[in-house]
Amino acid sequence: KLLEKKEGKKKKGYSRGVESMFRLTARNQINLSSIADNKSNILISVNAIMMSITMTVLVTKFEETPNIILPTLVFLLFCLVTIVFAILSTQPQTSGEKFTKEDIKSNKVNLLFFGNFYNMKLDEYEWAVGELMRNDENLYDTMIKDQYSLGKVLARKYKLLRIAYSVFMFGIIISVLAFVF
């Protein structure tokens, strides 16, 4: 900073706290994503097992007890819908967009989010990251965009997971009521 004052230049500096904040936020988002994926996997496994057992045990009893057909079909439908939403929550998101060198130079692209760079050639990506590293302000702007993008992905993931759990819960309730009545 002393040299900057002597030269009359002001350079925007970032504290270690800012870098720690980015690192902590990224770690937290990765952990939350992992938790959501684990919950989705549990829902998928449990519902798949319940569907398998139901189809092997109850479907064979349809002729003997026709009054279980409707409750069984309701139960299977709710299990299937739960599995679909759980699978949707684990699907990766990618943009698939192509970017120009001008987009990269003007920092319109988040090069830290894999969904934006996965289809770039290695030499293009190396050049783009080199451009990003030349300017601290662009680097931090990109880190902010990355945090935001990860947050959006997490929001979508948890929304779909919430729907899957709700479908599962209501499916169990409605299926039990259908079996009772």
Side-chain angles (χ1 to χ4, degrees):
K1 289 186 179 183
L2 189 59
L3 283 174
E4 292 171 6
K5 285 182 182 178
K6 284 183 181 178
E7 294 177 14
K9 297 178 184 175
K10 282 194 172 184
K11 186 176 180 182
K12 188 174 184 178
Y14 295 97
S15 69
R16 287 178 49 174
V18 171
E19 292 178 11
S20 295
M21 180 217 36
F22 279 117
R23 196 172 15 263
L24 177 66
T25 304
R27 189 177 321 125
N28 288 343
Q29 288 182 343
I30 290 167
N31 289 341
L32 286 171
S33 183
S34 178
I35 290 167
D37 289 344
N38 288 337
K39 289 179 182 229
S40 293
N41 288 331
I42 290 168
L43 274 176
I44 292 166
S45 299
V46 166
N47 280 277
I49 290 168
M50 290 189 321
M51 285 178 73
S52 296
I53 292 171
T54 300
M55 287 191 290
T56 56
V57 174
L58 291 181
V59 172
T60 58
K61 306 223 186 260
F62 279 178
E63 286 182 22
E64 298 170 22
T65 327
N67 59 340
I68 66 167
I69 294 174
L70 182 63
T72 302
L73 293 177
V74 167
F75 180 74
L76 290 173
L77 177 68
F78 276 105
C79 285
L80 182 63
V81 172
T82 299
I83 288 173
V84 168
F85 278 104
I87 289 170
L88 288 174
S89 77
T90 61
Q91 281 185 325
Q93 286 185 312
T94 56
S95 69
E97 295 178 34
K98 291 278 187 179
F99 307 104
T100 65
K101 285 190 173 194
E102 190 53 45
D103 290 336
I104 292 166
K105 285 182 179 180
S106 61
N107 201 34
K108 292 181 181 176
V109 180
N110 175 7
L111 291 170
L112 302 179
F113 185 63
F114 87 97
N116 292 338
F117 69 77
Y118 76 98
N119 59 0
M120 292 175 81
K121 293 179 181 173
L122 178 59
D123 60 328
E124 293 171 341
Y125 182 68
E126 287 175 332
W127 173 84
V129 171
E131 286 295 308
L132 179 62
M133 291 173 14
R134 287 189 221 320
N135 183 329
D136 278 351
E137 190 171 321
N138 283 352
L139 178 61
Y140 280 95
D141 287 347
T142 300
M143 290 169 69
I144 291 168
K145 289 175 190 170
D146 188 52
Q147 295 296 331
Y148 182 79
S149 297
L150 289 172
K152 290 301 239 181
V153 169
L154 268 178
R156 178 187 176 273
K157 190 176 284 224
Y158 273 92
K159 179 182 177 185
L160 290 168
L161 190 56
R162 194 175 317 111
I163 292 169
Y165 270 102
S166 296
V167 168
F168 179 68
M169 179 181 65
F170 288 117
I172 294 290
I173 293 168
I174 292 169
S175 298
V176 168
L177 291 175
F179 272 106
V180 170
F181 297 113

